Each structure stands twice: as structure tokens, then as C-alpha cells.
Amino acid sequence: MARLRIGIDTGGTFTDVVALDEDTGEVVTTKTPSTPADPAAGFAAGAAKALRLAGAAREDVAALCHGTTVATNRLLEDRIDDLGFVTTEGFGALLEIARQSVPDGYGNSYFWVKPPRIVPPGRVREVGGRLDHTGAELRPFDEGSAVAAARRLRDAGVRAIGVCFLHSYANPAHELAMRDVLRREHPDAVVSLSCEVLREYREYERAVTTLVDAAVKPAMGGYLARIAAGAAARPLVMNSNGGVLSADEVARRPITTVLSGPAAGALGAAFVVAHSGHGSVVTLDGGGTSTDVAVVVDGEPTLTTEGAVGRHPVKIPMIDIVTVGAGGGSVAWRAPEGALKVGPRSAGADPGPLCYGRGGTEVTVTDAHAVLGRIPPHLLGGEVPLDVAAARAGVEALAAELGLGVERAAAGVLEISAWNQANAIRQITVKRGLDVRDYPLVAFGGSGPLLACRLLDVLGSPAAVIPENPGNLSAFGLLTVDVRNDHVRTRVVRDTELDPTLLGEVFGELEREAAEALQREGFGEGRYVRSADLRYHGQAFEVRVPAPTGPPDEAFRAEVVRRFHDAHEALYGYCHRDGGGQHPVEWVNLRVSGIGPITRPRLRERPPGDGDPSRARTGTRRVYFDAWEDATVYRRERLAPGDVVDGPAVIEEFGSTLPLHPGFRARLDGYGNLVVTR
């Protein structure tokens, strides 16, 4: 019988693979270089390598889970071509008007220029017809103008179209009619409707989210078809909301895959460290191109719908992740004013850092680590030899430009990278009202553990946890998540005027949609999680709170409102629990998530060793921390639970390295995690 579950996470530099044998619990991990020109080739190579290492055949694969950056990278790189927009007559300037907001406030953005909008004016078409906010028809759908719009876009060569009519979240009839026209007049077009992508009010965010979905649909559709054709099992694809869906479902709504890989990393970290008693942590996923940070509270990553990918607001449920261009391949450069800067540009997988010997010409963070001896002269257990001499020559040239010594310049590159990561962590903790000193740091990814000790100093975190096989944790995280789909309806109504019958009708409709989606995924039964977005009348944004199970009656309504008051007070320090008529509560959005549970991996606690880490010692190496020192080098897989290593030391493994600074200590716990403390 098929017994292997494989997780494949395609990153900007490496494709990470984990194969889990469900019969024995044995885990095989490996990496292959990513293939940016055709990510499907890297996917296939990773799957084949995992099967070879596991001694298995294609028919042994029971499940295949995938985290992809195809949609995200197209948005980050602004590779958006031939995109058209159809909207309600009179609202053609919707994208241009957008929101009256400037990044970082006007004082810090005096020279800010509004970026080009996602669809140029010449590809916007208006169609007659109008609905009010309840979904009632004020003017009928104008098929004549719809036909003219479809033909104009067809003649202009537009192949991807987003449709967003005013108030279609309340009544999708006009958008469905527009799709019928497009199918008849422009059958080659790929079409996304806002009523299917995001049935939630706020027309600007709904329009951009729909357009982003349309923009990535052709590329994602082709990519998913290629990996499905060569896959040993039906692929499941990681979504931003913390669940997976089949490739067929994702092809219908590819917007759900933005931040796919980072979401898997946060979930994998939460799953692994929960066994060691760490329910609330900050996760730091350091890759070759970027570093992604998230917060896990009581075992669950925090969710948001106020996200963005690049310059595009994306209003879909996603794990709250902050990304910064501070990975191993981030380029160090001298700014015009003479200062040393690092990132956000990356050398990526091709050509990569100088030490890769593939034609790279710029110093990167990895080169600085190599010059200072903090990583071995090879990666992936010797599969990728490093040219340390080339890295040193590059750092010497940069140091000469800056008027610094070689060691000082290399250490400066790492210091700036550490502060870039620390600022991202502060953005997701301090800016959210959380004290970073209360949360251990879980560092993983190929480059995540490299700056862990310095981050403990900068942030004041109590400890850093380095999971086993940290370079492959995102791929492992893909094997820990359930199938999940999200559904939303906007119903703006004051609590004092709310009829609980309305709640029952809307939640019932959403749960039926969730059940149908789970049935398409092969689940006869599932679990349904309700939530609601509420606010005080006059506020611009909402607070989401979980809603209880059971019939939506008066007690249900009162419990949700109580949870809203509690959440508002926790977030902002005050609430209007007894506000009466002055601060009435408004219900805004109702949500249901359909969850199809999977069998999760079992983590087994290991017996303690004899407390002598010398069995893992492989020698010493000169490493530069604040000065050159003789650091003891250890192989992580030879350490046993209870072993303690004191810095200066370097702990090496297949996919990552932990430089342990002087004054720091690492202890291996019963589940194979290295716990680093001062």
C-alpha cells in the first residue's frame, strides 16, 4: 500500500523536500537547487531525489503536498501583462482613486509617488447596470455595453480579465451575466469574478484582489498542470490561510497561494515546538532570498485579511507574515552616500553568491558568513562546494570601498542583516501590541539559525529554538496541515437591529458552500469553524472574533458581542462594553472555514544520552565573532537529548548551520530541538 507522504517547498534558491513514511515514522529530508525559469523542473527533481533516498517507487506515494512561490514571485516582480478590468459604469477610476493612504505617513514619504496601477486606463471598460448595498437591482444589467466591453478587450489582445461590479458581494447576478458575455464574445480569456474571489465589501480591495487572481491564473494554471502531469499522486497545494487544497481547486482561485511557502514554515514551526512546551513563539524562516517572520499564539499562527504582496493589497485570509529582503543571497552594496547596505535585492539561485562559483559578481550575506568561518566550506553535506577565496576577494573589494578591514566589513554585512530581521520581528510583535521578550524565537530555513545568537541580544528574546532539519521545516510543515477553504459574506447591521434568524441563514449558506468544497476534495464530512468581524459604529475597520457552534440564537449573538468587547480591549486597551446608544456594535462580515482533517506526523520523544557532547565533535575551526577564535565544530545528528554545547562553537548539519557565539549555550531537548540561551 502507498505509504509515503512527500512535502515539497519551492523557494527562491533551493527546493526543499521531506518524505515521511507513515508506517515507520521515518523522515527523509533533502534539497535541490530551484529552477526559476521553470519551477516545475525543480519540483520534479526534488520528488525524484526523495524517492531515491527513501528507496521507494512512485506507486509508494500516498500524498504530495506543495508550497509554491509562482504566484507570489509574479506579483513581487510585477510580471503582469495583458490584464483587463470590467467594472460598473461610472466607476472606471476606482483603481486610480484607491485609498487616501501614503506608506509610513506623510512625514516620512514626502517624495512618495503613487505606483502605476495594476491595469492601465486603456484596459478598463465600464458596463451599465447597478445594484444597491442590499443586492437589490436599481438598473438592469446592460448587455449591449457588456458585449462592447468584451469585444474591445478581445481586440486589444487582453487575455486575463477581472470583473468587479459595485455591491456584487450582496448579489452576484450581474457579474455572472458578464461572465456569460465574455465566454460568448471572448472565449480565450481567463476570467475572475469578485463574487467568487472575495464576497466582501470595500470595492477597491475587492477589485484589486480579483485582478491579482486573474493576473496569476494563466501562469498558475499552466504550472499546476505540469506538476500534476508528472506527479506520483494528486498534488495538494499550500494556501495562505494555513490549509491545503487540491491543484484543481487552486487553479480556480490561485490568489489563495500567495505566501504559500512562508505559511507552511510558520505552521511547521508551531507543530514542532508545541511538543516541547512552546505554545507561543515568534517564527523566523530564513531563506536564500528573503526572511519571513510570524507570530504563533497558543499553537496557532495569527491570521489577517489586511495583507499585501508587493504593492498590491490582497484581502484574503492569510497567516500574518512580514517578509524582509534579508536572506543568504541578499546583496551587500555601498550606497551613494557611502553607507553599507544589505538587500533587498538578492543574488538568488542563479548566479547566486560569489562563493557558489556560478558567475556571481556581488558580495552577499552567505559570502560574509563564509569569510568569517561561520559556515563550512560546503553546503548540503558537501553537495555544493564553496569558493571561500572568491568570497574573500569580493569582501576585500567592498571593504576597500568602505575604508574598512575585511573582517570588519564582513561582520558589518551580518550586523545589518540581523537588524533587518530584528526590525521585521518588531513590526509583527511590537506594532501588534506584543512584547517580543515574552516569545522564544524559532529560527529555521537554511539561513535562519545563522544569526540566532545576535537576534537574542538585539531583541531580548528569552531563547532561540532551532528545530531538527531546520532547512527543510517548511517542507515538513506541508505534511502537518489540514485541507481548508474559507467563505465570507458581508452583512452590515447594528447589533441592536440584528435578527438572529439572519445569522442562521447566512452561516447556513456559508457552511453549505464549505461542505460542497470539501466534497470536491474527497471529504464526506468536515469541521466548520465560524467567525465574525465586528466594530463600533463609526469605526473604519473591524475586529475578527471566533463564533461559537450551535444555533445562532440570542445567546449566540450575545456571546459573539462579548468576545468582540474582550478582543477590542486586548488589542487597543479599551472597549465600550456599556456604551449603550453612544457606541453601538456593528456586525460586518460573517465567515466560515471548512476543514478536512488529515493524519499528522507523530513526533517521538528520544531517550536521553550520557550528557557528553564530545561524541559529536569533528574538530575545530577558526571563526570570527568579535575576534578570531578557535571554535569547536559539532555534527548535530550525533548529539543526544540532554547534551549541552557552549560557545564559541559551530553546530553543522545537512541543511543549515548554527554559529554559537561566546557566552551562549545550546541544549538538545527530547524532540531534537536545539534550545539556545545566553
Side-chain angles (χ1 to χ4, degrees), residues 209-228:
T209 302
T210 303
L211 287 165
V212 166
D213 185 76
V216 301
K217 215 173 229 179
M220 279 296 293
Y223 171 70
L224 292 172
R226 291 197 301 277
I227 67 169

Side-chain angles (χ1 to χ4, degrees), residues 381-395:
E383 293 183 23
V384 181
L386 299 183
D387 187 345
V388 180
R392 186 173 183 87
V395 174

Side-chain angles (χ1 to χ4, degrees), residues 131-450:
L131 305 171
D132 69 12
H133 70 283
T134 68
E137 188 174 80
L138 300 178
R139 291 196 298 273
F141 177 72
D142 184 353
E143 185 159 342
S145 62
V147 169
R151 291 175 178 176
R152 286 285 298 273
L153 292 173
R154 179 195 63 196
D155 295 343
V158 174
R159 293 291 179 264
I161 300 171
V163 180
C164 180
F165 290 153
L166 202 66
H167 303 307
S168 60
Y169 59 86
N171 181 354
H174 286 191
E175 286 192 358
L176 296 174
M178 186 68 218
R179 178 165 61 187
D180 291 340
V181 171
L182 287 167
R183 283 175 173 170
R184 186 173 68 246
E185 301 291 338
H186 191 1
D188 295 333
V190 171
V191 179
S192 293
L193 306 182
S194 77
C195 64
E196 295 179 342
V197 174
L198 182 69
R199 278 191 79 168
E200 186 176 334
Y201 86 146
R202 293 196 173 100
E203 66 279 359
Y204 170 67
E205 287 79 5
R206 181 159 48 91
V208 174
T209 302
T210 303
L211 287 165
V212 166
D213 185 76
V216 301
K217 215 173 229 179
M220 279 296 293
Y223 171 70
L224 292 172
R226 291 197 301 277
I227 67 169
R234 185 186 69 157
L236 296 171
V237 182
M238 184 73 206
N239 283 272
S240 311
N241 64 0
V244 291
L245 287 175
S246 68
D248 292 340
E249 286 291 313
V250 169
R252 294 174 56 206
R253 203 157 61 114
I255 184 71
T256 60
T257 66
V258 297
L259 300 180
S260 170
L267 287 160
F271 178 82
V272 169
V273 301
H275 288 75
S276 302
H278 300 291
S280 298
V281 295
V282 172
T283 68
L284 182 142
D285 182 0
T289 305
S290 63
T291 294
D292 307 303
V293 297
V295 175
V296 175
V297 178
D298 296 331
E300 296 290 338
T302 55
L303 292 173
T304 183
T305 55
E306 303 298 329
V309 180
R311 60 185 177 87
H312 309 295
V314 178
K315 197 173 174 61
I316 61 170
M318 61 177 68
I319 292 178
D320 194 2
I321 293 171
V322 171
T323 299
V324 61
S330 295
V331 172
W333 51 287
R334 181 178 179 271
E337 68 272 16
L340 173 63
K341 297 193 175 183
V342 179
R345 192 163 52 85
S346 172
D350 186 16
L354 289 167
C355 58
Y356 281 16
R358 298 177 185 164
T361 59
E362 297 175 291
V363 174
T364 67
V365 172
T366 297
D367 294 315
H369 281 296
V371 167
L372 299 181
R374 298 191 187 181
I375 58 175
H378 55 75
L379 299 178
L380 306 186
E383 293 183 23
V384 181
L386 299 183
D387 187 345
V388 180
R392 186 173 183 87
V395 174
E396 285 176 346
L398 179 64
E401 287 186 54
L402 297 168
L404 300 172
V406 174
E407 290 83 1
R408 184 78 182 97
V413 170
L414 301 187
E415 182 74 357
I416 293 169
S417 183
W419 277 92
N420 287 341
Q421 293 181 357
N423 288 337
I425 292 171
R426 286 183 170 135
Q427 185 176 337
I428 208 165
T429 52
V430 177
K431 278 196 170 184
R432 308 289 199 272
L434 304 174
D435 191 338
V436 68
R437 295 170 297 183
D438 295 335
Y439 294 82
L441 176 70
V442 184
F444 57 96
S447 66
L450 290 171

Side-chain angles (χ1 to χ4, degrees), residues 32 69 92 122 154 161 275 457 516 527-528 543 631:
T32 59
T69 57
R154 179 195 63 196
I161 300 171
H275 288 75
D457 276 338
E516 291 171 1
R527 181 165 59 92
Y528 305 101
V543 174

Side-chain angles (χ1 to χ4, degrees), residues 490-501:
T490 294
R491 289 291 185 271
V492 181
V493 58
R494 292 197 187 189
D495 181 62
T496 54
E497 302 169 1
L498 177 66
D499 181 358
T501 304

Side-chain angles (χ1 to χ4, degrees), residues 167 189 307 347 410 420 422 439 457 475 512 558 583 606 644 667:
H167 303 307
N420 287 341
Y439 294 82
D457 276 338
R512 285 191 294 273
H583 302 286
R606 306 175 186 179
V644 175
R667 178 183 59 82

